[in-house]
Amino acid sequence: MAETKNKPPVSQKMLILVLIGLVLTLGGGASVMLYLGAFKDPEVYRSVTQEYHFAYISHKGPYTNIDPILEEVAKQLKESDIQAVTPCAMFMDSVSAVQEADRQSKIGYLVQRNDYIAAPLEQMSIPSREVVVATFEGGTLLGSHKAYTGMRDWARANGYQLMLPAFEIYHPEGKVEYQLPIQKKQY
């Protein structure tokens, strides 16, 4: 006759440790999702912008990982005694229409109208224009998706057509302002 082994019961300490581990894992995950803005929606509204003055480096390639370009622009501005405060980016192409390697963008900082911008930096003025704006505070990848989806939905609901280029302003306090030019649809 085969002998059966009695398994020792799971100790109460082990159950408590497993429960603590589960709570910490779920709580940590929820905290990260909260920080990234997973439970937030962007604020979307129509606006007429101010005129912006922009010092930048032209870039061809993916719209992600623009931090090294921003660092280079900040370095160039500092060498010209111009304070780099508000980073921004202008995205010229639609991500659904242009291959990642061929996408054109301008990455840089807002500057004052009379600032002298030396080469290799370029500069431009962006005139006041009618836009739809989405603001979001949280992770930029999640924020971009939510903001552009929100602007598309707003345009459809209000009879506007979205246009390019997209302009993003990365405010120092962590809020990102996404802008797309708009025009009323002609029926």
Side-chain angles (χ1 to χ4, degrees), residues 43-172:
E43 180 183 352
V44 180
Y45 56 93
R46 181 197 155 277
S47 182
V48 176
T49 65
Q50 63 185 6
E51 179 179 38
Y52 297 110
H53 302 281
F54 180 37
Y56 64 92
I57 291 176
S58 292
H59 174 68
K60 184 175 181 180
Y63 288 166
T64 57
N65 196 20
I66 63 173
D67 289 340
I69 302 166
L70 287 170
E71 289 171 11
E72 179 60 28
V73 174
K75 178 182 157 212
Q76 295 290 331
L77 289 172
K78 185 176 181 179
E79 289 174 3
S80 297
D81 287 329
I82 298 171
Q83 185 177 7
V85 176
T86 309
C88 51
M90 180 176 279
F91 301 110
M92 312 306 286
D93 300 307
S94 169
V95 295
S96 62
V98 177
Q99 292 293 320
E100 190 173 61
D102 296 326
R103 294 178 191 155
Q104 307 268 342
S105 58
K106 300 171 192 255
I107 312 297
Y109 282 83
L110 295 176
V111 295
Q112 297 298 312
R113 164 179 247 161
N114 297 325
D115 285 340
Y116 173 74
I117 306 302
L121 296 181
E122 300 175 72
Q123 74 179 39
M124 70 183 296
S125 292
I126 303 168
S128 174
R129 67 214 187 285
E130 185 176 20
V131 297
V132 61
V133 176
T135 58
F136 188 80
E137 195 167 339
T140 53
L141 183 60
L142 184 60
S144 291
H145 173 72
K146 285 186 168 201
Y148 286 106
T149 299
M151 289 188 290
R152 182 200 64 210
D153 294 347
W154 180 93
R156 286 179 180 165
N158 291 283
Y160 281 89
Q161 178 180 345
L162 299 173
M163 298 179 295
L164 291 170
F167 191 59
E168 297 180 2
I169 303 171
Y170 311 106
H171 294 280

